Amino acid sequence: MTETLRLATRGSDLALRQAETVREALSSRRRDVELRQVETRGDQIPDELIHRLGKTGAFVRALDEEVLAGDADLAVHSLKDLPTEEMDDLVVAGVPERAPSGDVVVHPDGLGIEDLPPGAVVGTGSLRRGAQIRAARPDLTVEPIRGNVDTRIEKLLAPGLQAEHERRLIASGEERALTAEGDDGEEEDTAGDESDEVDEEFDRTVEEWFDSLSDLERAAMERKVETEYDAVVLAEAGLRRSNLFHEVETTRLPREEFVPAAGQGAIAVTASDPDVIEAVRDAVDHPRTRVAVTVERTVLGELNGGCVAPIGVSAMVQGEHVHVRARVLSTDGTEEVADTRDLPIRSHATAAAEFAADLAERGADDLIAEAREEAETGEDDE
């Protein structure tokens, strides 16, 4: 093991923040860590939806290859991006304590999914979220959206902010025209009344309004609008790790209906060198989180759904049991197989595999096969 550990990570803000939490944990054990930024296949195709990037791992493989080639000692991933198949000579050396694992609706006025008007456009790049939204609200319109967390929020905010800016510019121009008309002595009283009305609506100049915007809102002002979204659905963990959770209006989605993806909210650190594995496990591994995500990933792996099917699996350690909820849907949200179960913690992996087999027998296999066929033929509408 080298004196300074080389940690491979993607270069997005979210990925770097996740890598920083791992570096801090290792630094607390007197291990020096340097970050190595690596571009992945998912980064190279920014406009393609996740489920069309091929098998699970579009954001993973390039990082792990750095480790296997000896150019890095370990790699950090969002655990939900990690394939459930065996990873050559790599192991998941550490799983830190999980962040909140659920999904949230982001809406400029804080509306929840049940409050959105019929026909409202909801953005998501996830098959699972899209199917769950359609199942809960078939009257909504689900549109694809991609990009980092901040990019998606900018796309949501851009139309409203740009329209507000335009209104203020027009009102400012009208006010100046009315003031000039009053100065000429023509219809001065009427102009004064209209000017007062403008002042009541906009109590700040355009420049003062713009200066009051956050960095995120200013970035949204510069964004070209292609699709107008009324709301977007994102992982709460991603918002929090991006330090954006308190900058936008959010509403948590009920976990009974909106079951998170397997591993959502969790980070995985992969390594191959036994000494590195031991150092990582000692510094960052959180046993309860590891048990929960092992159950989730076992169910997902046994169902063989990957990113091609709308599958939600969420587990939580409760005493001597692991409470697990799973929901497998058709891509249009009209069919589903769902269940909950309490698994014994001492045999959680075996029990999770049995749970997945039951789901498959009850029709989950058929829904996944249909979703895979849609993905291969390009018939899905996300």
Side-chain angles (χ1 to χ4, degrees):
M1 181 167 61
T2 58
E3 288 299 317
T4 299
L5 294 175
R6 299 158 298 170
L7 175 59
T9 175
R10 293 175 60 207
S12 70
D13 288 344
L14 177 58
L16 291 172
R17 289 179 188 276
Q18 291 180 164
E20 190 59 38
T21 64
V22 175
R23 175 159 67 176
E24 288 174 359
L26 286 164
S27 296
S28 70
R29 301 302 176 92
R30 299 181 180 180
R31 295 296 315 184
D32 292 331
V33 179
E34 68 176 30
L35 301 185
R36 287 179 54 85
Q37 294 186 33
V38 179
E39 188 176 45
T40 68
R41 186 185 175 205
D43 298 314
Q44 294 164 353
I45 316 177
D47 295 325
E48 190 66 31
L49 293 177
I50 299 297
H51 63 283
R52 288 180 183 160
L53 290 174
K55 63 184 290 186
T56 305
F59 294 112
V60 170
R61 188 64 190 174
L63 302 181
D64 285 340
E65 285 176 350
E66 292 283 308
V67 178
L68 293 172
D71 296 322
D73 300 294
L74 58 161
V76 62
H77 309 282
S78 292
L79 186 56
K80 68 180 179 61
D81 295 334
L82 208 62
T84 54
E85 299 91 349
E86 292 293 326
M87 302 180 295
D88 300 322
D89 296 325
L90 292 171
V91 300
V92 177
V95 180
E97 185 173 4
R98 190 183 217 164
S101 62
D103 291 322
V104 296
V105 176
V106 183
H107 184 276
D109 297 320
L111 297 184
I113 199 76
E114 70 282 356
D115 302 317
L116 295 174
V121 178
V122 183
T124 175
S126 160
L127 275 174
R128 173 188 60 83
R129 292 184 183 122
Q132 291 178 351
I133 292 167
R134 293 184 180 103
R137 289 287 308 273
D139 57 319
L140 298 179
T141 301
V142 178
E143 289 288 347
I145 188 170
R146 250 212 93 202
N148 296 329
V149 174
D150 54 349
T151 298
R152 298 187 189 202
I153 296 176
E154 288 169 17
K155 289 179 178 180
L156 169 67
L157 299 179
L161 287 169
Q162 291 170 11
E164 178 69 6
H165 186 235
E166 184 68 20
R167 287 177 62 227
R168 288 175 177 270
L169 286 174
I170 292 171
S172 176
E174 289 175 350
E175 182 177 2
R176 285 194 295 270
L178 289 167
T179 301
E181 187 176 321
D183 290 343
D184 291 339
E186 299 178 11
E187 302 179 9
E188 186 171 351
D189 292 339
T190 303
D193 291 342
E194 292 182 8
S195 180
D196 287 342
E197 290 175 7
V198 172
D199 285 341
E200 283 181 12
E201 185 178 2
F202 300 118
D203 56 357
R204 291 173 292 179
T205 66
V206 176
E207 291 76 14
E208 288 171 338
W209 173 80
F210 185 81
D211 289 342
S212 72
L213 299 180
S214 67
D215 290 342
L216 182 70
E217 291 170 324
R218 292 185 189 183
M221 289 281 293
E222 302 298 322
R223 185 166 289 281
K224 180 181 178 182
V225 176
E226 296 176 348
T227 302
E228 292 194 19
Y229 302 96
D230 295 292
V232 295
V233 177
L234 299 167
E236 180 176 343
L239 276 172
R240 289 188 178 277
R241 289 183 178 134
S242 300
N243 284 341
L244 295 173
F245 186 77
H246 297 293
E247 288 200 33
V248 292
E249 297 289 340
T250 62
T251 303
R252 285 191 173 116
L253 289 166
R255 296 174 68 94
E256 295 76 15
E257 290 182 275
F258 293 86
V259 184
Q264 185 163 305
I267 297 171
V269 184
T270 55
S272 60
D273 182 275
D275 291 333
V276 175
I277 293 169
E278 183 178 353
V280 171
R281 187 156 295 172
D282 182 54
V284 309
D285 207 48
H286 186 254
R288 291 169 67 89
T289 298
R290 183 179 277 271
V291 168
V293 299
T294 296
V295 166
E296 294 168 6
R297 286 169 54 76
T298 299
V299 172
L300 181 65
E302 291 293 324
L303 290 173
N304 194 27
C307 284
V308 300
I311 302 174
V313 190
S314 178
M316 181 179 297
V317 176
Q318 297 178 335
E320 295 300 311
H321 292 84
V322 185
H323 182 73
V324 58
R325 180 185 302 275
R327 193 179 186 202
V328 183
L329 298 100
S330 59
T331 55
D332 62 5
T334 59
E335 299 179 71
E336 70 173 270
V337 175
D339 202 358
T340 61
R341 188 170 297 184
D342 290 322
L343 311 180
I345 197 168
R346 292 183 180 277
S347 57
H348 59 275
T350 301
E354 294 170 355
F355 179 47
D358 289 346
L359 292 169
E361 245 181 71
R362 290 169 46 196
D365 265 1
D366 294 333
L367 293 177
I368 292 168
E370 290 171 10
R372 180 173 287 107
E373 184 177 351
E374 288 178 8
E376 289 173 352
T377 59
E379 292 176 358
D380 56 294
D381 58 4
E382 273 204 279

